[in-house]
Amino acid sequence: MNILIKNITNLVTCSGGYPKTKDLLKEAGVIEKGYVFIKEDIIEAVGSCDEYKKYLKEADVVIDGKGKTVTPGLIDSHTHLVYAGSREKELPLKLQNMKYIDILNAGGGILSTVRNTRAASLVELKRESKKRLDLMLLHGTTTAESKSGYGLNFKDEIKILETNKSLNKIHPIDIISTYLGAHAIPEEFKDNRDGYISLMIDEIIPYIKRNNLAEFADCFCEEGVFTVEESRRILSSAKDLGLKIKLHVDEVESIGGAELAGELKATSAEHLVAASDEGIKALAENGVVAVLLPTTSFYLMLGKFARARKMIEEGVAVALATDCNPGTSPTESLQTTMTFACFGLKMLPAEIINAMTINAACAIGREKEIGSIEVGKKADIAIFNANNLDYLIYHFGVNAIDTVIKNGILVVQNGKLVYEHSRIYR
Ligand code: NIG
Ligand code: FE
């Protein structure tokens, strides 16, 4: 099927090279009165004004873009999509100022989600996670990274990664799989940290690599969770086996996580709220993408946000993601992330959209295929009910999505899911 989107009031292409750093991050490649012609699953032409007319004959569907802002499909480059249960019962503890790490160390937090996730079957996990994927799609996300980390043993970590694989087959959203066994020390290894680390290094990571169950390995390097030395050991072994590297670092305290991300030449370092000046330099010097998660800072009531402006100034490639998870960021909506990126991180609308499209593609190693509206790229496109990009970010707390196109297929129309009626994906 071929789709023509014509008369687009604000076409935000996010084209112009990658990763976008410094002043380039402010360039969103906006075309007024633009058009996009999609042939099958690929973007065939992009331009402005009446030039679209030459594609009318070939188009099976013509969409009028008047009053719309059209962007690349949003890319959520950091999520904990697959889990069971929820954690609303922690709200009073949070409001009594009980610290996140203290809730975790008392057997709550991540460990409570681990208990629920271990008890759930693959079918149940798939059903629950598919609902979240549907919500993501309804809010404009067309690709999502998905981390394991609520199994914390061989069987249940593999169950989560198999859930990713299985969801990728049935859902329009493309899933990039990450192994985050180093998310917490499981209760049964409380007095034997090294035993758990050896289990990951000697058994779980080699199995994942052999069975191609994850593209990335991640580690929660934080005071009270995994030390810098432990994180280095775990991630170096994953890297030696050919996995790419991500790190949760400096979410609450800085223990040198960003510096480690630079040293390991990780693809991305994520959170970075407490990242030091040296850590930020290490990211810039080593081309590590900083994935910032402002909804998490808000939800943890940290009273501060990552130093996005400093990172941008220093030449770090900044991406934005939801961190969708049951503890610190229970949301599927990158539009919510837009709000907190603007008012928390002080990022401009053009910077925000680049950070959740082309720079997010860099954070998952997909920059050649997705993340911008350019000829030859995959036809992943979000159409918003907004006259311009500034309005999209200014009018907050509502879902502005009108239409979503994934791989050249209409999957959301008039703000409603339609993909079940179109076709099976892979
Ligand atoms: O990114 N920091 C570690 N992991 C998640 C939270 C997971 C949870 O609390 O369940 C995060 O904030
Ligand atoms: Fe996270």
Side-chain angles (χ1 to χ4, degrees):
M1 190 164 79
N2 301 335
I3 304 175
L4 175 65
I5 317 170
K6 62 169 190 175
N7 295 333
I8 302 165
T9 300
N10 211 238
L11 171 58
V12 184
T13 64
C14 299
S15 59
Y18 52 76
K20 294 205 176 196
T21 57
K22 295 193 171 177
D23 281 349
L24 190 59
L25 191 63
K26 293 191 182 71
E27 307 288 333
V30 175
I31 301 176
E32 267 162 40
K33 234 173 161 263
Y35 75 87
V36 183
F37 179 60
I38 297 164
K39 195 160 185 179
E40 303 288 338
D41 55 344
I42 298 291
I43 296 170
E44 170 93 356
V46 183
S48 65
C49 301
D50 285 350
E51 282 168 36
Y52 76 83
K53 288 188 175 152
K54 58 182 180 237
Y55 298 102
L56 274 172
K57 256 209 200 121
E58 269 186 272
D60 302 297
V61 175
V62 179
I63 297 173
D64 189 5
K66 195 164 184 330
K68 311 287 187 216
T69 292
V70 173
T71 72
L74 304 181
I75 299 172
D76 200 342
S77 54
H78 178 141
T79 87
H80 305 253
L81 170 76
V82 179
Y83 62 83
S86 57
R87 305 233 292 272
E88 65 280 14
K89 294 216 159 60
E90 285 173 15
L91 285 176
L93 298 178
K94 284 165 65 93
L95 293 174
Q96 285 156 26
N97 290 328
M98 186 158 174
K99 290 215 176 81
Y100 177 70
I101 295 297
D102 296 337
I103 298 177
L104 171 63
N105 289 332
I110 295 174
L111 293 175
S112 89
T113 302
V114 168
R115 287 190 287 276
N116 288 325
T117 306
R118 284 181 176 178
S121 68
L122 191 147
V123 173
E124 285 162 343
L125 275 182
K126 195 172 155 187
R127 193 186 324 118
E128 287 308 303
S129 308
K130 180 184 172 291
K131 288 185 203 159
R132 289 188 275 274
L133 277 177
D134 281 346
L135 279 170
M136 286 180 181
L137 193 63
L138 276 167
H139 287 82
T141 299
T142 50
T143 301
E145 184 252 13
S146 169
K147 302 176 195 292
S148 68
Y150 292 119
L152 305 189
N153 60 27
F154 192 103
K155 173 171 130 300
D156 294 299
E157 282 295 304
I158 300 304
K159 179 176 73 183
I160 294 171
L161 296 174
E162 292 283 4
T163 305
N164 276 345
K165 194 168 167 183
S166 169
L167 285 167
N168 205 17
K169 289 194 183 124
I170 58 137
H171 201 276
I173 292 186
D174 281 321
I175 296 173
I176 313 301
S177 203
T178 297
Y179 170 62
L180 176 59
H183 198 191
I185 297 283
E187 273 164 326
E188 63 276 20
F189 278 96
K190 210 165 66 195
D191 302 317
N192 181 13
R193 303 176 64 84
D194 271 353
Y196 183 56
I197 294 171
S198 298
L199 174 69
M200 288 192 274
I201 293 178
D202 298 338
E203 295 180 40
I204 306 182
I205 299 175
Y207 180 91
I208 287 168
K209 183 60 195 169
R210 273 199 308 279
N211 293 280
N212 200 15
L213 283 169
E215 192 173 326
F216 290 92
D218 193 345
C219 176
F220 189 9
C221 177
E222 182 74 38
E223 185 71 57
V225 195
F226 288 92
T227 66
V228 168
E229 291 69 33
E230 289 168 341
S231 306
R232 184 186 287 113
R233 222 181 115 203
I234 298 160
L235 293 177
S236 301
S237 86
K239 199 174 166 186
D240 289 347
L241 288 182
L243 288 165
K244 291 184 272 182
I245 303 302
K246 292 180 169 289
L247 286 99
H248 276 68
V249 289
D250 308 335
E251 178 171 351
V252 186
E253 314 258 358
S254 171
I255 55 166
E259 290 86 334
L260 177 65
E263 175 194 318
L264 292 173
K265 301 216 182 306
T267 303
S268 62
E270 331 211 323
H271 287 290
L272 297 163
V273 179
S276 67
D277 289 354
E278 297 73 40
I280 292 173
K281 267 209 184 75
L283 301 179
E285 278 166 10
N286 293 288
V288 181
V289 180
V291 178
L292 305 185
L293 310 157
T295 52
T296 306
S297 305
F298 161 73
Y299 212 82
L300 282 171
M301 300 187 290
L302 294 179
K304 63 175 181 174
F305 289 86
R307 292 189 288 160
R309 294 262 46 107
K310 159 109 181 142
M311 292 179 200
I312 294 166
E313 243 168 60
E314 297 275 336
V316 179
V318 168
L320 289 162
T322 60
D323 196 17
C324 173
N325 77 69
T328 65
S329 185
T331 181
E332 291 78 8
S333 167
L334 274 169
Q335 291 177 59
T336 303
T337 305
M338 289 178 185
T339 307
F340 288 93
C342 183
F343 295 100
L345 298 174
K346 307 283 190 310
M347 288 173 68
L348 297 163
E351 294 176 324
I352 292 171
I353 198 69
N354 279 323
M356 49 179 74
T357 56
I358 190 65
N359 278 9
C362 295
I364 53 167
R366 292 292 186 283
E367 62 277 15
K368 293 203 175 81
E369 298 110 71
I370 54 174
S372 59
I373 300 182
E374 287 176 282
V375 172
K377 281 214 163 169
K378 253 168 80 158
D380 291 0
I381 287 178
I383 306 181
F384 294 95
N385 290 310
N387 267 315
N388 55 65
L389 186 62
D390 293 357
Y391 185 89
L392 174 65
I393 286 159
Y394 146 89
H395 184 186
F396 81 103
V398 292
N399 184 6
I401 273 290
D402 179 81
T403 300
V404 180
I405 299 169
K406 174 66 192 178
N407 266 337
I409 296 172
L410 284 161
V411 288
V412 174
Q413 276 181 296
N414 292 322
K416 300 214 162 47
L417 289 175
V418 292
Y419 76 85
E420 319 258 26
H421 314 294
S422 54
R423 69 165 197 188
I424 302 289
Y425 279 79
R426 276 163 285 266

PDB file of all heavy atoms in Angstrom, residues 78-80 147 180 183 218 248 251 270-271 293 296 323-325 328, ligand 2:
ATOM      1  N   HIS A  78      14.357   3.507  26.308  1.00  0.00           N
ATOM      2  CA  HIS A  78      14.623   2.937  27.643  1.00  0.00           C
ATOM      3  C   HIS A  78      13.289   2.598  28.288  1.00  0.00           C
ATOM      4  O   HIS A  78      12.562   3.483  28.748  1.00  0.00           O
ATOM      5  CB  HIS A  78      15.391   3.963  28.485  1.00  0.00           C
ATOM      6  CG  HIS A  78      15.690   3.537  29.891  1.00  0.00           C
ATOM      7  ND1 HIS A  78      16.892   3.822  30.509  1.00  0.00           N
ATOM      8  CD2 HIS A  78      14.973   2.854  30.815  1.00  0.00           C
ATOM      9  CE1 HIS A  78      16.880   3.342  31.746  1.00  0.00           C
ATOM     10  NE2 HIS A  78      15.704   2.754  31.957  1.00  0.00           N
ATOM     11  N   THR A  79      12.948   1.310  28.317  1.00  0.00           N
ATOM     12  CA  THR A  79      11.724   0.887  29.010  1.00  0.00           C
ATOM     13  C   THR A  79      11.975  -0.433  29.740  1.00  0.00           C
ATOM     14  O   THR A  79      12.872  -1.195  29.383  1.00  0.00           O
ATOM     15  CB  THR A  79      10.500   0.685  28.080  1.00  0.00           C
ATOM     16  OG1 THR A  79      10.501  -0.648  27.555  1.00  0.00           O
ATOM     17  CG2 THR A  79      10.452   1.682  26.942  1.00  0.00           C
ATOM     18  N   HIS A  80      11.152  -0.642  30.769  1.00  0.00           N
ATOM     19  CA  HIS A  80      11.102  -1.938  31.464  1.00  0.00           C
ATOM     20  C   HIS A  80       9.690  -2.456  31.203  1.00  0.00           C
ATOM     21  O   HIS A  80       8.828  -2.456  32.086  1.00  0.00           O
ATOM     22  CB  HIS A  80      11.342  -1.762  32.957  1.00  0.00           C
ATOM     23  CG  HIS A  80      12.609  -1.037  33.293  1.00  0.00           C
ATOM     24  ND1 HIS A  80      13.713  -1.669  33.822  1.00  0.00           N
ATOM     25  CD2 HIS A  80      12.963   0.276  33.168  1.00  0.00           C
ATOM     26  CE1 HIS A  80      14.673  -0.776  34.026  1.00  0.00           C
ATOM     27  NE2 HIS A  80      14.249   0.412  33.638  1.00  0.00           N
ATOM     28  N   LYS A 147      13.818  -3.869  28.516  1.00  0.00           N
ATOM     29  CA  LYS A 147      14.832  -4.500  29.361  1.00  0.00           C
ATOM     30  C   LYS A 147      14.217  -5.615  30.192  1.00  0.00           C
ATOM     31  O   LYS A 147      13.099  -5.466  30.685  1.00  0.00           O
ATOM     32  CB  LYS A 147      15.409  -3.471  30.336  1.00  0.00           C
ATOM     33  CG  LYS A 147      16.036  -2.260  29.669  1.00  0.00           C
ATOM     34  CD  LYS A 147      16.498  -1.249  30.713  1.00  0.00           C
ATOM     35  CE  LYS A 147      16.801   0.109  30.118  1.00  0.00           C
ATOM     36  NZ  LYS A 147      17.956   0.143  29.238  1.00  0.00           N
ATOM     37  N   LEU A 180      18.944  -7.083  31.485  1.00  0.00           N
ATOM     38  CA  LEU A 180      19.281  -6.299  32.686  1.00  0.00           C
ATOM     39  C   LEU A 180      19.185  -7.203  33.917  1.00  0.00           C
ATOM     40  O   LEU A 180      18.485  -6.911  34.880  1.00  0.00           O
ATOM     41  CB  LEU A 180      18.344  -5.065  32.776  1.00  0.00           C
ATOM     42  CG  LEU A 180      18.443  -4.150  33.992  1.00  0.00           C
ATOM     43  CD1 LEU A 180      19.823  -3.542  34.190  1.00  0.00           C
ATOM     44  CD2 LEU A 180      17.411  -3.021  33.916  1.00  0.00           C
ATOM     45  N   HIS A 183      19.972  -5.868  37.719  1.00  0.00           N
ATOM     46  CA  HIS A 183      19.010  -4.812  38.095  1.00  0.00           C
ATOM     47  C   HIS A 183      18.963  -4.699  39.620  1.00  0.00           C
ATOM     48  O   HIS A 183      18.698  -3.638  40.171  1.00  0.00           O
ATOM     49  CB  HIS A 183      17.629  -5.191  37.527  1.00  0.00           C
ATOM     50  CG  HIS A 183      16.659  -4.062  37.458  1.00  0.00           C
ATOM     51  ND1 HIS A 183      15.321  -4.266  37.194  1.00  0.00           N
ATOM     52  CD2 HIS A 183      16.802  -2.722  37.599  1.00  0.00           C
ATOM     53  CE1 HIS A 183      14.708  -3.101  37.186  1.00  0.00           C
ATOM     54  NE2 HIS A 183      15.562  -2.152  37.429  1.00  0.00           N
ATOM     55  N   ASP A 218      22.729  -4.459  30.155  1.00  0.00           N
ATOM     56  CA  ASP A 218      22.618  -3.239  30.958  1.00  0.00           C
ATOM     57  C   ASP A 218      22.922  -3.606  32.404  1.00  0.00           C
ATOM     58  O   ASP A 218      22.903  -4.795  32.776  1.00  0.00           O
ATOM     59  CB  ASP A 218      21.172  -2.717  30.804  1.00  0.00           C
ATOM     60  CG  ASP A 218      20.956  -1.295  31.314  1.00  0.00           C
ATOM     61  OD1 ASP A 218      21.807  -0.783  32.045  1.00  0.00           O
ATOM     62  OD2 ASP A 218      19.895  -0.724  30.981  1.00  0.00           O
ATOM     63  N   HIS A 248      22.506   1.854  33.535  1.00  0.00           N
ATOM     64  CA  HIS A 248      21.747   2.745  34.417  1.00  0.00           C
ATOM     65  C   HIS A 248      22.771   3.362  35.363  1.00  0.00           C
ATOM     66  O   HIS A 248      23.363   2.644  36.175  1.00  0.00           O
ATOM     67  CB  HIS A 248      20.781   1.936  35.281  1.00  0.00           C
ATOM     68  CG  HIS A 248      19.471   1.602  34.650  1.00  0.00           C
ATOM     69  ND1 HIS A 248      19.340   0.755  33.597  1.00  0.00           N
ATOM     70  CD2 HIS A 248      18.213   2.018  34.973  1.00  0.00           C
ATOM     71  CE1 HIS A 248      18.060   0.647  33.294  1.00  0.00           C
ATOM     72  NE2 HIS A 248      17.347   1.399  34.112  1.00  0.00           N
ATOM     73  N   GLU A 251      21.585   7.602  38.872  1.00  0.00           N
ATOM     74  CA  GLU A 251      20.153   7.910  38.939  1.00  0.00           C
ATOM     75  C   GLU A 251      19.857   8.735  40.202  1.00  0.00           C
ATOM     76  O   GLU A 251      19.085   9.680  40.173  1.00  0.00           O
ATOM     77  CB  GLU A 251      19.333   6.605  38.939  1.00  0.00           C
ATOM     78  CG  GLU A 251      17.830   6.818  39.049  1.00  0.00           C
ATOM     79  CD  GLU A 251      17.017   5.552  38.831  1.00  0.00           C
ATOM     80  OE1 GLU A 251      17.598   4.523  38.424  1.00  0.00           O
ATOM     81  OE2 GLU A 251      15.796   5.591  39.060  1.00  0.00           O
ATOM     82  N   GLU A 270      22.271   5.948  30.975  1.00  0.00           N
ATOM     83  CA  GLU A 270      20.882   6.356  31.149  1.00  0.00           C
ATOM     84  C   GLU A 270      20.633   6.858  32.575  1.00  0.00           C
ATOM     85  O   GLU A 270      21.297   6.423  33.509  1.00  0.00           O
ATOM     86  CB  GLU A 270      19.993   5.161  30.777  1.00  0.00           C
ATOM     87  CG  GLU A 270      20.716   4.281  29.722  1.00  0.00           C
ATOM     88  CD  GLU A 270      19.873   3.542  28.724  1.00  0.00           C
ATOM     89  OE1 GLU A 270      18.795   3.085  29.113  1.00  0.00           O
ATOM     90  OE2 GLU A 270      20.300   3.451  27.557  1.00  0.00           O
ATOM     91  N   HIS A 271      19.743   7.795  32.724  1.00  0.00           N
ATOM     92  CA  HIS A 271      19.413   8.522  33.969  1.00  0.00           C
ATOM     93  C   HIS A 271      20.322   9.741  34.133  1.00  0.00           C
ATOM     94  O   HIS A 271      19.906  10.840  33.838  1.00  0.00           O
ATOM     95  CB  HIS A 271      19.479   7.632  35.227  1.00  0.00           C
ATOM     96  CG  HIS A 271      18.347   6.678  35.315  1.00  0.00           C
ATOM     97  ND1 HIS A 271      17.062   7.083  35.571  1.00  0.00           N
ATOM     98  CD2 HIS A 271      18.279   5.338  35.158  1.00  0.00           C
ATOM     99  CE1 HIS A 271      16.264   6.039  35.583  1.00  0.00           C
ATOM    100  NE2 HIS A 271      16.983   4.966  35.319  1.00  0.00           N
ATOM    101  N   LEU A 293      15.711  10.665  31.492  1.00  0.00           N
ATOM    102  CA  LEU A 293      14.404  10.102  31.849  1.00  0.00           C
ATOM    103  C   LEU A 293      13.721  11.031  32.860  1.00  0.00           C
ATOM    104  O   LEU A 293      13.634  10.716  34.052  1.00  0.00           O
ATOM    105  CB  LEU A 293      14.626   8.695  32.436  1.00  0.00           C
ATOM    106  CG  LEU A 293      15.515   7.797  31.568  1.00  0.00           C
ATOM    107  CD1 LEU A 293      16.161   6.684  32.368  1.00  0.00           C
ATOM    108  CD2 LEU A 293      14.725   7.216  30.403  1.00  0.00           C
ATOM    109  N   THR A 296      11.131  10.080  35.591  1.00  0.00           N
ATOM    110  CA  THR A 296      11.635   9.320  36.740  1.00  0.00           C
ATOM    111  C   THR A 296      12.123  10.263  37.845  1.00  0.00           C
ATOM    112  O   THR A 296      11.847  10.038  39.027  1.00  0.00           O
ATOM    113  CB  THR A 296      12.768   8.378  36.285  1.00  0.00           C
ATOM    114  OG1 THR A 296      12.261   7.587  35.219  1.00  0.00           O
ATOM    115  CG2 THR A 296      13.251   7.485  37.405  1.00  0.00           C
ATOM    116  N   ASP A 323      11.329   5.435  30.429  1.00  0.00           N
ATOM    117  CA  ASP A 323      11.707   4.556  31.553  1.00  0.00           C
ATOM    118  C   ASP A 323      10.494   3.757  32.033  1.00  0.00           C
ATOM    119  O   ASP A 323      10.481   3.285  33.186  1.00  0.00           O
ATOM    120  CB  ASP A 323      12.311   5.367  32.714  1.00  0.00           C
ATOM    121  CG  ASP A 323      13.071   4.497  33.718  1.00  0.00           C
ATOM    122  OD1 ASP A 323      13.407   3.353  33.374  1.00  0.00           O
ATOM    123  OD2 ASP A 323      13.321   4.969  34.846  1.00  0.00           O
ATOM    124  N   CYS A 324       9.479   3.636  31.201  1.00  0.00           N
ATOM    125  CA  CYS A 324       8.236   2.926  31.588  1.00  0.00           C
ATOM    126  C   CYS A 324       8.545   1.718  32.491  1.00  0.00           C
ATOM    127  O   CYS A 324       9.196   0.769  32.068  1.00  0.00           O
ATOM    128  CB  CYS A 324       7.532   2.469  30.307  1.00  0.00           C
ATOM    129  SG  CYS A 324       6.100   1.422  30.617  1.00  0.00           S
ATOM    130  N   ASN A 325       8.111   1.798  33.743  1.00  0.00           N
ATOM    131  CA  ASN A 325       8.322   0.699  34.699  1.00  0.00           C
ATOM    132  C   ASN A 325       7.341   0.876  35.852  1.00  0.00           C
ATOM    133  O   ASN A 325       6.793   1.969  36.031  1.00  0.00           O
ATOM    134  CB  ASN A 325       9.791   0.669  35.166  1.00  0.00           C
ATOM    135  CG  ASN A 325      10.104   1.741  36.198  1.00  0.00           C
ATOM    136  OD1 ASN A 325       9.635   1.685  37.332  1.00  0.00           O
ATOM    137  ND2 ASN A 325      10.878   2.741  35.803  1.00  0.00           N
ATOM    138  N   THR A 328       9.298   3.576  39.194  1.00  0.00           N
ATOM    139  CA  THR A 328       9.760   4.962  39.163  1.00  0.00           C
ATOM    140  C   THR A 328       9.219   5.771  37.991  1.00  0.00           C
ATOM    141  O   THR A 328       9.494   6.968  37.900  1.00  0.00           O
ATOM    142  CB  THR A 328      11.306   5.022  39.104  1.00  0.00           C
ATOM    143  OG1 THR A 328      11.730   4.440  37.860  1.00  0.00           O
ATOM    144  CG2 THR A 328      11.945   4.271  40.255  1.00  0.00           C
TER     145      THR A 328
HETATM  146 FE    FE B   2      15.243   2.177  33.888  1.00  0.00          FE
END
